[in-house]
Amino acid sequence: MASARFVASAVSASRGFVRVDARSIVSPGRRAGGRSARIVSRSGHHISLATSSTAAVPTDIPEQQDSISAEEDPNDDDTTTIPSTGSLTRAIVAMEDDSADAMYETILQWSMDVKGVELYEAQEEAILELVEGNNVLLTTPTGSGKTMVATAAIAAATARGDAAWYTAPLKALVTEKFFQLVKDFGAKNVGLLTGDASVNPTAPIICCTAEVLANAALRRGRDLDCGLIVADEFHFYTDPDRGWAWQVPMVELPDAQFLLMSATFGDTSKFQRHLERNAAGRDVGVVGGGERPVPLEFEYRETSLIESIKELVNTDRAPVYIVNFSQREANERAQDLCSTLSLTADEKKALNAELEGFKFDTPVGNELRRYISFGVGVHHAGLLPKYRLLVERLAGKGLLKCICGTDTLGVGVNVPIRAVLFTQLCKFDGNKTRLLTIREFQQIAGRAGRRGFDTKGFVWCQAPAHVVENKRAEAKAAAAAAKSGGKAKKVKKAQPPDKNFVMWNEDNFRRMETGVPETLDSSFQVTHSMILAVLSRRGDGKRFLRDLLVNNHEPKIRQRKHQRRAISMYRSLKDAGIIQEAGTMDTSGRAVNLGFDIGDQFSLTQPLSLFAVEYLPTLLKVHGEDHSKRSKLKDERYALDVLSVLEAVLDTPGAVVSAQLSKAKTRAVNKMKGEGTEYDARMAVLEEMDYPKPLADELEAYFEPFKRRHPYVGGEELKPKSIARELYESGFDFNKYVNHYGLNRSEGALMRYLTDAYKAMVQNVPESMKSPAVIDLEEWLGETIRRVDSSLIDEWEALKDPVAAARAAEDEAAALAAIGATLTGPQRFTLGRAFRVMVRNAAFRWVQLLAMGEEEDMAQLASENLPPRGRDNPWTMDELYAAIDPYWQTHDAMDDGYEARSPDLFDVSDEGADGETHWRVVQKVRDPAGDLDWCVEGEVDLEASEEEGRVVMRLVEIRQEGAVRKEEKVVPSEEDIWAALEEEEEYEDEDE
């Protein structure tokens, strides 16, 4: 089945980029400064964009969800609807008997006719419980078809007229389920709610992250239209930071039917008790145990890791997932395997055919290509999404023998793996190194042996390396003694690592294999945002809050602690004027009023998003409210400040800012050494250095009164930084930025951050604040991301047209044909608005490198730019120094700051005979005297830029305006000299 991510790419490419932002059509009645814009996509489906970058409460959750419908979408003018799309909805609507038995038979028949699968006994048992209206705790092993049970539960609920909510811990899982349910129930009947966008929020079936449903339950309580809750990966209930979101719906929505699913549930008795006490009085069925559809074989190994891998591969147990517990170890393991594994000629041919057209075009790309050429994949969060998706696809087609990854594969990745090999049984959890829990082990081990691919799965675990080494040394000594007839020599034993290590043995392994997962403990917590959400509910908010504090799943001793904390928070909110007690219920049905409208202005999981929206108008006071009256230079400065405000509320990618600081310190040390600065003075300077933080003082000054007005901010702090902004100002593209800071192992983290920044630009900046420069900046950032890896944005864009997405998922060939038709049209990249912004930034990069003027800078200038047309030899540092030296003889500085970026100092011309293939670019240099008599001239190679997906520049000349151009001195090569001599001899022979 084509993945949701592929579908996203297909829709984006075949239908073009559908722009959705604050300039979209705003629904009537939206208040000023409101937090969402409701728009209509090309397919006619309603889309609402929330402001936070995580799962915030959407402002457009309706009072009541629609009923399920089998009617065709009137906005869909495509008559080639795939027959299976919405097939389950049609089957439900066609039912003449609405009894539980009829519903059960309809689902079973549909699964055989459309899905082509016969249900397992456990699936049938669970479905029977669900169609009878009971709660179900589904604890069957991984690979036993929990997805089919969830689909059946949704079908039964919608047939009864109930709204169904599917929740999962990860947006990727939610999105994947959204597209799958669109195929089964039709796009009209399925909606999606995340912090990025909401699609069809009135649909009878809603897919969302757990936090979205929890926050909606806090705000609406039993008034929320929710008849069924499917909670996937329910073991997240015990997560210290997020577990509250799995608990709140069970407390606040007692009338709903629950399907709680996890392969590592553990003891279910307390959840049975909680659900049995619910107001609906439903029975609770526990369905689990039984045989795993694909049985697992466990083995503890005391051979070397390489020997174990070879044995698995040579005995037809590949693909093997090698579990590491850091990204660095995963990459190093892949490197080691390249000298161990190899592919046959036929395997290489099949692999090359699958890789045709795929671009390994980032700094880590060549490394990954080499791994894959040996049948080895790498899979972890540090990689770009496109590389992870490639590994998943290759593994699915049996083209990889090993995948070196981290324990993140335990959730949300559907890769057919035959064997799982644990390199160790301990991990660092952020606080300390400890042994894996039974649940963690079984979640990862459960990925081995997939239904439809394997008849058996294999789970192996390596003994500690020092134990293997000692056993081998003892065996060698014993063999030598037996051969000589003497006594075995005493072996000097290898020792375990001093750090980041906890000893494990076969007993630990067997306990993890057969043990019952740890009991899921409650991880409830009270926050300002939770209190405000409950108090915003219509009715007696204080009673609702009391009920939540009394009925949660915490032990009594912790409940009392939460109650005292809630009372303290309530008083602080009341003292701050956020809470106003009405005494009696007002006309809105509330006994407590809030000092602001929580529905319009509040993001429960990203409170600082509101700070960004509130602070942005202050920039107009600095830069001027009328965008048309600003100069281009000032408008660009305004746009960059807008970006800095948004960056200040995004999570900080530690690897990137650490690299920024390290690079700045290295350059500072080299400069101070050259100037003869003493060691202690150098250290003092370095101690004070930090990574760039634009607007830090201004933002902090505004943040203090903001926190007093909004106590729910709690311990949140601003995080000023300059990553997207620096990428723009430096003139780097993504690859150059990664190389500059040595971020090869963190490409994925950088890409996720840039994507979040782009979404914030699209969603959080009001229409009135989007000046031409802001729009340029937004276009540039979006195109920069697409040039590297469009999967994250394309998936986001595909949500705007779920009909086309479902159709593309069903017919991959048609989607690819549509992409091909689009790409054979006019050149897209070089004609875009963002491309001209990239050209200007690349030209200013010339000035920045010349201004710094160190050897590494001149080497970059030489390597990053092609020579002029007609010249084969690349630029050398000596040539560049010779060209710019006359400037430094008359000037003691070169401006590479704000004023030097002025658009007035930059000119690009596409006129002339070769304007369709090359543009002429001139960037003037701003000198201290203001003479502006120096410039750098270059060309943009349009064909090369289009082919490579980046700006390809030719550096033509560094010159002083008005000076007589020197003709380039051409030094003939040795071949030219010999050719000339031979030609001269031929002429002499002819004369004779």
Side-chain angles (χ1 to χ4, degrees):
M1 181 183 74
S3 69
R5 296 172 180 85
F6 165 77
V7 171
S9 301
V11 173
S12 178
S14 62
R15 297 209 172 195
F17 172 52
V18 183
R19 185 179 185 80
V20 178
D21 57 20
R23 294 187 296 280
S24 303
I25 304 171
V26 181
S27 60
R30 176 185 172 188
R31 53 185 285 164
R35 293 181 50 77
S36 72
R38 197 173 192 203
I39 67 117
V40 179
S41 71
R42 291 187 181 188
S43 64
H45 296 283
H46 291 287
I47 301 165
S48 176
L49 299 181
T51 60
S52 90
S53 59
T54 62
V57 173
T59 60
D60 52 0
I61 294 177
E63 293 293 329
Q64 185 173 357
Q65 306 300 130
D66 296 335
S67 297
I68 197 163
S69 171
E71 295 178 4
E72 297 292 336
D73 189 338
N75 295 293
D76 187 5
D77 56 1
D78 193 335
T79 58
T80 62
T81 303
I82 295 168
S84 65
T85 302
S87 57
L88 186 50
T89 296
R90 292 194 293 275
I92 294 170
V93 173
M95 287 174 53
E96 296 181 359
D97 181 357
D98 61 357
S99 66
D101 288 341
M103 185 76 245
Y104 175 74
E105 292 298 330
T106 298
I107 292 172
L108 260 60
Q109 192 64 44
W110 174 82
S111 69
M112 294 183 66
D113 293 345
V114 177
K115 296 296 184 181
V117 296
E118 187 173 346
L119 300 184
Y120 296 126
E121 182 178 340
Q123 289 175 305
E124 293 182 352
E125 181 183 349
I127 292 172
L128 191 56
E129 292 275 3
L130 289 163
V131 298
E132 291 178 350
N134 298 330
N135 295 314
V136 172
L137 309 182
L138 187 59
T139 67
T140 52
T142 301
S144 57
K146 287 189 282 291
T147 297
M148 178 63 75
V149 175
T151 303
I154 292 169
T158 53
R160 292 192 299 265
D162 289 336
W165 294 63
Y166 167 90
T167 71
L170 305 177
K171 287 183 182 179
L173 280 176
V174 173
T175 305
E176 182 179 344
K177 178 60 68 174
F178 168 76
F179 285 115
Q180 178 185 325
L181 292 178
V182 164
K183 289 172 58 183
D184 293 338
F185 292 94
K188 186 176 181 180
N189 296 312
V190 186
L192 179 140
L193 298 175
T194 72
D196 296 336
S198 65
V199 180
N200 295 348
T202 63
I205 303 167
I206 296 294
C207 299
C208 63
T209 51
E211 283 83 356
V212 167
L213 176 59
N215 285 323
L218 289 171
R219 286 179 54 196
R220 296 285 181 81
R222 295 172 76 169
D223 290 338
L224 183 69
D225 189 4
C226 179
L228 167 71
I229 295 171
V230 179
D232 204 354
E233 307 289 352
F234 186 74
H235 52 271
F236 271 77
Y237 172 94
T238 197
D239 186 276
D241 298 318
R242 303 180 61 198
W244 66 274
W246 276 258
Q247 181 175 160
V248 162
M250 298 178 68
V251 177
E252 293 293 333
L253 303 172
D255 303 307
Q257 180 187 21
F258 285 86
L259 169 57
L260 310 180
M261 305 190 301
S262 174
T264 56
F265 222 117
D267 182 12
T268 62
S269 58
K270 76 172 183 178
F271 298 104
Q272 289 176 262
R273 292 194 301 271
H274 287 310
L275 291 175
E276 285 170 350
R277 290 199 300 263
N278 276 0
R282 302 176 191 270
D283 290 337
V284 180
V286 179
V287 180
E291 293 295 325
R292 193 178 189 274
V294 180
L296 296 179
E297 182 180 285
F298 291 81
E299 186 172 338
Y300 189 75
R301 303 284 296 183
E302 293 183 337
T303 58
S304 70
L305 178 62
I306 292 297
E307 288 174 320
S308 296
I309 294 171
K310 282 183 176 180
E311 185 172 339
L312 284 169
V313 172
N314 294 337
T315 55
D316 195 28
R317 302 180 193 186
V320 182
Y321 189 79
I322 303 170
V323 185
N324 304 274
F325 293 90
S326 75
Q327 296 172 10
R328 178 181 58 80
E329 289 175 354
N331 284 77
E332 290 176 352
R333 202 79 66 199
Q335 173 69 35
D336 294 342
L337 289 177
C338 288
S339 58
T340 302
L341 302 179
S342 61
L343 300 178
T344 65
D346 289 341
E347 289 172 336
K348 287 181 179 180
K349 183 178 180 181
L351 179 63
N352 290 334
E354 190 65 29
L355 292 177
E356 187 175 356
F358 187 88
K359 293 185 177 180
F360 294 89
D361 51 1
T362 65
V364 80
N366 287 333
E367 188 177 326
L368 297 177
R369 183 203 292 269
R370 192 168 70 84
Y371 298 159
I372 289 173
S373 69
F374 287 93
V376 180
V378 178
H379 193 288
H380 55 67
L383 296 176
L384 291 175
K386 69 177 184 180
Y387 294 136
R388 296 202 304 273
L389 292 172
L390 175 67
V391 168
E392 292 169 21
R393 190 175 84 239
L394 295 177
K397 296 189 176 183
L399 298 175
L400 295 180
K401 296 185 177 181
C402 291
I403 302 171
C404 299
T406 60
D407 55 334
T408 55
L409 197 77
V411 177
V413 180
N414 188 21
V415 179
I417 294 166
R418 186 163 296 166
V420 168
L421 175 59
F422 286 86
T423 58
Q424 60 188 53
L425 291 180
C426 63
K427 67 178 287 187
F428 180 71
D429 63 6
N431 296 312
K432 63 179 181 179
T433 301
R434 57 168 175 79
L435 290 178
L436 299 180
T437 65
I438 294 175
R439 174 169 290 106
E440 288 170 335
F441 175 85
Q442 292 183 0
Q443 279 293 132
I444 302 169
R447 310 305 296 184
R450 306 301 291 178
R451 180 184 180 187
F453 293 91
D454 307 307
T455 56
K456 183 186 290 187
F458 303 88
V459 180
W460 286 12
C461 175
Q462 288 296 120
H466 72 281
V467 172
V468 174
E469 184 179 342
N470 290 336
K471 283 186 175 291
R472 177 168 293 181
E474 290 170 355
K476 185 176 180 180
K483 185 176 181 180
S484 63
K487 185 179 179 181
K489 292 182 179 180
K490 186 176 181 180
V491 175
K492 182 180 179 180
K493 291 193 174 182
Q495 299 300 309
D498 295 329
K499 296 189 224 177
N500 302 324
F501 179 82
V502 174
M503 184 66 185
W504 71 90
N505 55 33
E506 187 170 1
D507 289 340
N508 300 121
F509 175 68
R510 297 303 174 187
R511 183 178 64 83
M512 294 178 185
E513 171 196 344
T514 60
V516 176
E518 297 79 6
T519 300
L520 292 172
D521 292 325
S522 169
S523 57
F524 186 79
Q525 53 186 310
V526 178
T527 63
H528 286 93
S529 58
M530 177 181 287
I531 292 173
L532 289 172
V534 175
L535 294 177
S536 71
R537 199 184 303 174
R538 284 194 294 267
D540 190 347
K542 289 199 288 186
R543 181 174 65 82
F544 296 145
L545 182 58
R546 175 194 171 280
D547 291 344
L548 176 62
L549 295 170
V550 170
N551 295 329
N552 62 65
H553 302 171
E554 293 281 272
K556 292 295 182 184
I557 188 171
R558 293 215 301 258
Q559 279 190 349
R560 287 192 287 272
K561 180 181 177 181
H562 293 317
Q563 290 161 10
R564 288 193 296 270
R565 176 175 169 81
I567 291 171
S568 175
M569 288 180 171
Y570 182 91
R571 287 172 177 168
S572 70
L573 290 166
K574 183 179 176 182
D575 292 342
I578 302 298
I579 291 176
Q580 301 164 4
E581 292 185 349
T584 58
M585 288 195 185
D586 60 14
T587 55
S588 66
R590 294 182 175 90
V592 175
N593 291 325
L594 303 184
F596 59 93
D597 187 339
I598 194 170
D600 284 342
Q601 299 185 26
F602 193 58
S603 167
L604 289 170
T605 58
Q606 282 284 354
L608 295 192
S609 293
L610 176 58
F611 169 81
V613 173
E614 188 174 308
Y615 183 85
L616 285 174
T618 65
L619 295 178
L620 297 177
K621 298 177 182 178
V622 177
H623 299 282
E625 296 190 5
D626 190 341
H627 302 317
S628 63
K629 292 183 179 180
R630 291 192 209 112
S631 68
K632 290 183 179 180
L633 180 61
K634 289 184 177 180
D635 195 27
E636 182 181 53
R637 183 65 174 269
Y638 162 75
L640 291 171
D641 284 351
V642 168
L643 179 57
S644 291
V645 173
L646 299 175
E647 287 199 78
V649 300
L650 296 177
D651 289 336
T652 301
V656 180
V657 296
S658 296
Q660 287 179 326
L661 181 57
S662 177
K663 190 80 171 181
K665 285 184 175 181
T666 299
R667 188 178 283 272
V669 165
N670 292 338
K671 182 178 180 181
M672 288 187 288
K673 282 182 177 180
E675 295 171 350
T677 306
E678 294 294 330
Y679 174 82
D680 290 342
R682 296 202 303 266
M683 293 302 101
V685 171
L686 296 181
E687 191 69 26
E688 296 297 320
M689 291 183 69
D690 203 350
Y691 56 84
K693 298 180 177 180
L695 301 180
D697 293 340
E698 295 91 332
L699 291 168
E700 289 292 348
Y702 193 91
F703 189 56
E704 289 306 313
F706 176 84
K707 285 200 295 186
R708 290 193 293 271
R709 294 195 307 275
H710 304 282
Y712 52 77
V713 169
E716 290 285 339
E717 295 295 337
L718 288 175
K719 301 173 280 286
K721 52 193 163 294
S722 178
I723 297 175
R725 178 170 181 158
E726 182 189 50
L727 183 66
Y728 180 92
E729 291 184 316
S730 66
F732 284 130
D733 59 25
F734 182 88
N735 289 352
K736 291 176 183 176
Y737 193 84
V738 169
N739 282 329
H740 183 71
Y741 285 118
L743 296 171
N744 296 41
R745 299 284 189 255
S746 302
E747 288 183 354
L750 176 60
M751 178 56 63
R752 285 191 297 276
Y753 176 84
L754 294 177
T755 303
D756 286 342
Y758 171 71
K759 291 176 181 177
M761 288 285 291
V762 172
Q763 297 172 189
N764 290 11
V765 183
E767 176 186 0
S768 61
M769 297 196 66
K770 291 199 172 183
S771 69
V774 173
I775 296 171
D776 279 348
L777 186 59
E778 181 184 305
E779 293 277 2
W780 163 83
L781 185 53
E783 193 61 33
T784 296
I785 295 168
R786 283 190 182 84
R787 290 299 103 192
V788 181
D789 184 350
S790 65
S791 57
L792 289 177
I793 291 182
D794 284 346
E795 180 176 286
W796 187 49
E797 292 295 328
L799 298 178
K800 300 166 190 175
D801 201 339
V803 175
R807 190 170 291 123
E810 193 76 19
D811 189 353
E812 182 172 335
L816 289 172
I819 294 174
T822 302
L823 296 182
T824 54
Q827 294 178 331
R828 296 175 58 208
F829 176 46
T830 54
L831 294 182
R833 183 173 186 167
F835 181 72
R836 288 182 176 263
V837 177
M838 293 177 182
V839 169
R840 183 180 161 223
N841 289 347
F844 188 69
R845 180 68 181 158
W846 295 335
V847 175
Q848 291 174 316
L849 293 172
L850 290 171
M852 291 183 287
E854 301 292 338
E855 285 192 5
E856 64 174 298
D857 305 312
M858 302 305 275
Q860 276 191 35
L861 184 59
S863 63
E864 291 177 1
N865 296 274
L866 297 174
R869 282 182 285 170
R871 168 177 163 166
D872 296 329
N873 300 328
W875 286 101
T876 65
M877 284 196 300
D878 289 340
E879 289 177 308
L880 295 175
Y881 272 125
I884 197 61
D885 274 348
Y887 174 91
W888 293 113
Q889 292 173 9
T890 56
H891 302 291
D892 57 4
M894 182 182 295
D895 188 1
D896 62 349
Y898 168 55
E899 297 289 344
R901 291 188 62 89
S902 172
D904 295 333
L905 303 182
F906 169 78
D907 180 68
V908 58
S909 173
D910 56 4
E911 298 177 357
D914 57 354
E916 293 184 2
T917 58
H918 291 80
W919 291 347
R920 178 177 177 271
V921 175
V922 176
Q923 174 67 55
K924 289 190 175 183
V925 176
R926 191 169 185 271
D927 57 87
D931 295 333
L932 302 179
D933 56 345
W934 278 81
C935 71
V936 186
E937 182 180 336
E939 286 184 333
V940 185
D941 190 325
L942 298 180
E943 292 180 354
S945 298
E946 192 70 44
E947 181 179 347
E948 298 184 26
R950 65 180 183 89
V951 174
V952 177
M953 301 283 277
R954 293 183 180 275
L955 179 58
V956 175
E957 188 177 19
I958 303 171
R959 70 171 189 272
Q960 186 174 15
E961 298 273 44
V964 178
R965 297 191 183 187
K966 296 180 180 179
E967 294 205 3
E968 184 179 356
K969 184 177 180 181
V970 179
V971 179
S973 65
E974 186 175 353
E975 291 181 357
D976 292 337
I977 294 174
W978 282 110
L981 288 174
E982 290 175 359
E983 186 175 352
E984 185 175 344
E985 289 176 357
E986 289 178 3
Y987 285 140
E988 289 176 354
D989 292 340
E990 290 177 0
D991 291 341
E992 291 177 0

